[in-house]
Each structure stands twice: as structure tokens, then as C-alpha cells.
Amino acid sequence: MQQKSNRPSVLRIVEENKIVTIARKIPTKKLLPAAEALAKGGVRLLEVTFDQASPDCLSETPAQIDALNRIFSDYLCIGAGTVVTKEQVAAAYRAGARFIVAPDTNPEIIGMARSLDMVTFPGALTPTEILTAHRAGADFVKIFPAETLGLPYIKSVMAPISHVPLIAVGGIDEHNISDFLAIGLKGVGIGSNILKKSYIEDENYEGLSELARRYVTAAGVRTV
């Protein structure tokens, strides 16, 4: 029997749930309960980033992705972030990552991830970079850093390339998330504004769930 493709279901989850929460440099013992809190708050997409400054990132991040998948695969769609090498693509795939996110546009990374049936979110800022990513097969192009030039810039860029599915990452919070989504973006990526360092340090997972719930509501996401 032919194995069912991963990509269509991930594309649907992104379209329906809008928010990709970004976990960066969070120890596994705190990431697991934080992920549970996000799920309780209605978040459905979690990106675990490679720490390029760590010599052990090729083992650390996949181990976290694997641990998350073992517990939360029914509730969370887990992916890898800050993916910049083919070795990281392969390691993320082996760990069960369903999508990859990158800070840049690298057609080789996009192509490899697509060949492994993973959804891709390469980073770009200019129209040339955005279209390069799209032509290379990107499922969504990540406008990053979104806060640097802001909504007016993104709206101007989108006008002639409205056929390219875009998400925005950087500077998005519960007060402006609806503004970003209102211009036609397919989703947003949010890190420490949801996964607040103080909440995680204090193990305030109930507060984290409530914060996630507010973001989901602000994004207009329907929950069941």
C-alpha cells in the first residue's frame, strides 16, 4: 500500500491554524510541558530550531523533535527551524519533522526537503528572494524579519506577487497579529512573544496556555 503523503495535511494545518510557534533554546525538560500547554491553548504548529552556535545541534534538535512527536503527534505538527544544511534536513526528517523553516532561501535545501515530503518555509525579504524561493518549490515563503520594514512594505511586495503564499515572522504579537493576517498572509511565526521566557523559567504552564489561547483567538482561528 502506498504511504499517504505528509505535505497535504501539513498545508491544511497551516492554512487552518495560522500560528507557527517557535521554540528556541528551551531545555527538553521544560519544552515538553510547554508544548502541552501550547496544545491546551489551541496552538497546533511547533517549530524547534537548530542552534547553529551549538556544536551538538545536529543531535540536540532532532532529539527534541523525536521526544515531542512521541507524546504530542496527535495534537501538534512538529517541524524544524533554522535549517541551513542538508545534514540538518536529513536529521530533522529522521526525527519525524513534518516541515522545515529556514532563515534564507537555498534551492538545494528546499529541493531536498520536498523530496522527503516535508513542507518548506524558506526565509526571504525582497521580491527577488521571494520569487526565487517560490520557483524552487517553497510551499510558503517566510517574510523575515517582518518587523524591520513592517506592514506597508509587505503589502507593497504582495501586490504584484499575490500568487505566492507568504507568512511573516518577527515582531508579531497578540495586538498586531490580526493586522498581519488581514492583508492576506497565510500565517505567522511567533517565538518568545508566546513562549515567554519568564513563564517557562517559572514553570507557569497554565499562564502559557492562556497566552496561547489569546493568540489563537486574536488570529481568528476556530477551535473545537
Side-chain angles (χ1 to χ4, degrees):
M1 182 180 295
Q2 187 175 10
Q3 187 175 6
K4 189 175 180 180
S5 176
N6 166 69
R7 291 182 58 255
S9 62
V10 176
L11 294 174
R12 184 180 67 254
I13 292 168
V14 175
E15 293 275 359
E16 292 177 353
N17 293 278
K18 310 294 183 188
I19 300 171
V20 180
T21 302
I22 305 163
R24 185 176 288 111
K25 296 184 180 181
I26 301 176
T28 302
K29 66 179 181 180
K30 293 193 174 183
L31 179 59
L32 294 177
E36 182 179 15
L38 291 174
K40 288 180 178 178
V43 167
R44 291 292 175 263
L45 293 131
L46 179 60
E47 167 195 341
V48 185
T49 65
F50 282 93
D51 178 5
Q52 303 299 332
S54 171
D56 299 317
C57 74
L58 204 57
S59 58
E60 291 170 341
T61 297
Q64 288 192 320
I65 292 171
D66 178 67
L68 288 163
N69 270 322
R70 290 177 184 272
I71 302 171
F72 303 112
S73 61
D74 289 341
Y75 308 99
L76 290 169
C77 179
I78 311 294
T82 319
V83 177
V84 298
T85 69
K86 289 183 176 181
E87 291 78 12
Q88 289 167 4
V89 175
Y93 172 75
R94 289 193 297 268
R98 300 183 67 188
F99 62 89
I100 66 158
V101 184
D104 65 335
T105 289
N106 184 330
E108 290 187 351
I109 297 296
I110 296 168
M112 181 177 178
R114 284 290 298 261
S115 73
L116 295 172
D117 198 33
M118 290 190 286
V119 166
T120 59
F121 298 76
L125 188 59
T126 68
T128 298
E129 292 170 347
I130 293 167
L131 287 172
T132 297
H134 179 67
R135 290 168 182 146
D139 295 289
F140 300 92
V141 181
K142 180 182 79 169
I143 302 297
F144 171 79
E147 77 273 26
T148 301
L149 298 177
L151 276 171
Y153 172 78
I154 297 174
K155 288 174 69 175
S156 296
V157 167
M158 288 176 70
I161 54 173
S162 58
H163 62 294
V164 180
L166 302 177
I167 71 164
V169 177
I172 298 165
D173 58 34
E174 62 181 303
H175 305 294
N176 64 20
I177 184 172
S178 61
D179 296 329
F180 276 89
L181 293 174
I183 66 172
L185 292 167
K186 299 299 183 182
V188 294
I190 305 174
S192 59
N193 282 340
I194 290 183
L195 283 167
K196 286 189 177 294
K197 184 178 180 181
S198 59
Y199 284 17
I200 293 170
E201 287 179 346
D202 297 340
E203 300 183 357
N204 181 10
Y205 300 117
E206 184 176 336
L208 183 57
S209 288
E210 175 55 32
L211 181 58
R213 196 171 293 114
R214 294 206 305 268
Y215 270 89
V216 168
T217 300
V221 175
R222 293 172 59 185
T223 59
V224 293

